[in-house]
Amino acid sequence: MSEPNFRKPVRKAVFPVAGLGTRFLPATKAIPKELLPVVDRPLIQYAVDEAREAGIEEFVFVTGRGKTAIVEHFDTAYELEATMTGRGKSLDVLDPTRIEPGNLVTVRQQVPLGLGHAVWCARAVVGNEPFAIFLPDELMYGSPGCMAQMIEAYNEVGGNFVSVLEVPMEEVSSYGVIAPGESKGSLTEVKGLVEKPKAAEAPSNKIVSGRYILQPEIMDLLASQGKGAGGEIQLTDSMAKLIGQQPFHAVTFNGRRFDCGSKVGFVEATLAIALDRDDMGGEVREMAKKMLG
Ligand code: UTP
């Protein structure tokens, strides 16, 4: 493998959305977690918008049973559009839900065996190209977006990337953690990766935060990846095997990250984004002040 192969343009993104979302039951019994709205946009919409901004052209959703509504969200809703047009309403609000025909592909993960397995399910569509991965329940809020910042770094050094952020040491055992090498600005060399380490054994407090750029060789590693932490096939374990074979870096996102897979993180995202919105921030601030006395 020659170095230039690690710098091919990143055109495709995989969105693993086949998880069960058990932390949000009963809300997620019939509605996919990825469609829960933060203010008025579903989580998946924030991720797709971030991907588009970063130049992604093809959107690959790894879905499972009960997740079809996610795909519907990006479809043309003929009756809705006809009715709104008839009533003289603007359709601009639906613009972000339009994906170029043919550029949305779904693959199925029949059993949620873990994130690594979900990504592997997309191997035929990804083919021999580098690709991005977005976990939509990690809401990355900032401009430029997290993936745009990662692509900028990718264009400079190529290879594999994760986004990272620092958390208190006692929280690391819920996440993938990097062993950092040299740092330059927001770019850090990745020397090792471990999924859900005990706090005492963690190589750092820099956790992987739901955005990745990976070379296609990851798919061969995933094919034979055994179960890891939590009895799941972990993407982190296969990524760790790429270290030393290919360049691997982390980008510290200059922006805010909300863990919308957790209830408190979801409420935090809703409040922060509502406060930041020009159309409602003032009103929400007044309401919050009153509530807090
Ligand atoms: P989570 O660890 O948040 O799992 O997955 P989950 O099932 O969505 O939620 P909880 O923990 O039961 O509440 C992180 C991301 O990986 C996807 C999820 O859809 C989510 O986007 N995933 C996870 C899969 O697509 N397949 C899997 O087998 C596991």
Side-chain angles (χ1 to χ4, degrees):
M1 270 169 288
S2 60
E3 167 81 357
N5 280 344
F6 301 136
R7 290 172 184 241
K8 278 190 195 166
V10 181
R11 299 185 315 108
K12 299 180 180 178
V14 174
F15 299 79
V17 292
L20 298 177
T22 54
R23 282 172 289 170
F24 269 91
L25 284 170
T28 47
K29 187 178 173 198
I31 295 169
K33 174 169 77 174
E34 297 76 12
L35 286 184
L36 297 179
V38 171
V39 187
D40 51 9
R41 284 154 82 201
L43 280 174
I44 188 73
Q45 185 71 64
Y46 288 91
V48 164
D49 292 350
E50 182 192 329
R52 242 192 220 122
E53 182 210 3
I56 297 296
E57 294 162 15
E58 284 185 43
F59 302 81
V60 185
F61 291 179
V62 183
T63 69
R65 268 171 59 77
K67 297 282 183 160
T68 320
I70 298 175
V71 185
E72 296 274 325
H73 175 77
F74 292 100
D75 219 335
T76 298
Y78 177 76
E79 311 85 325
L80 178 66
E81 295 192 12
T83 309
M84 284 174 69
T85 306
R87 290 179 187 167
K89 289 194 184 238
S90 163
L91 298 180
D92 291 356
V93 72
L94 295 174
D95 279 350
T97 68
R98 298 183 210 286
I99 289 180
E100 183 82 356
N103 282 359
L104 191 162
V105 180
T106 64
V107 296
R108 219 54 187 178
Q109 185 193 29
Q110 286 82 355
V111 183
L113 297 177
L115 178 60
H117 182 259
V119 171
W120 179 74
C121 289
R123 65 198 178 284
V125 188
V126 165
N128 195 27
E129 288 186 32
F131 63 105
I133 304 173
F134 291 75
L135 306 191
D137 52 3
E138 300 265 352
L139 201 165
M140 309 303 264
Y141 193 66
S143 184
C146 182
M147 188 53 71
Q149 293 181 21
M150 292 170 75
I151 292 282
E152 198 187 332
Y154 174 85
N155 289 339
E156 272 176 34
V157 296
N160 300 275
F161 280 84
V162 289
S163 67
V164 289
L165 56 96
E166 293 186 21
V167 297
M169 212 60 195
E170 58 272 20
E171 287 175 25
V172 294
S173 48
S174 305
Y175 300 99
V177 179
I178 68 161
E182 277 180 31
S183 280
K184 192 179 156 204
S186 62
L187 195 67
T188 303
E189 198 186 344
V190 178
K191 296 262 193 193
L193 274 160
V194 47
E195 185 65 33
K196 299 186 175 57
K198 290 189 181 123
E201 290 161 17
S204 75
N205 66 342
K206 285 181 190 282
I207 62 155
V208 178
S209 59
R211 300 292 182 271
Y212 312 76
I213 298 171
L214 295 174
Q215 298 298 316
E217 288 76 16
I218 190 75
M219 294 298 188
D220 295 333
L221 297 168
L222 285 170
S224 57
Q225 184 62 56
K227 288 180 182 173
E232 296 195 344
I233 297 173
Q234 296 288 358
L235 180 60
T236 304
D237 295 342
S238 286
M239 290 194 303
K241 293 176 190 158
L242 279 178
I243 298 168
Q245 294 185 30
Q246 296 183 357
F248 212 125
H249 291 89
V251 168
T252 303
F253 173 45
N254 182 11
R256 295 174 77 181
R257 165 262 191 184
F258 303 105
D259 177 8
C260 290
S262 87
K263 284 176 245 197
V264 173
F266 194 93
V267 173
E268 186 191 2
T270 304
L271 187 57
I273 292 177
L275 284 169
D276 203 35
R277 291 245 311 225
D278 292 340
D279 60 339
M280 60 193 296
E283 253 179 280
V284 174
R285 183 163 284 104
E286 285 313 308
M287 180 218 29
K289 270 192 207 158
K290 265 191 214 150
M291 274 175 83
L292 296 171

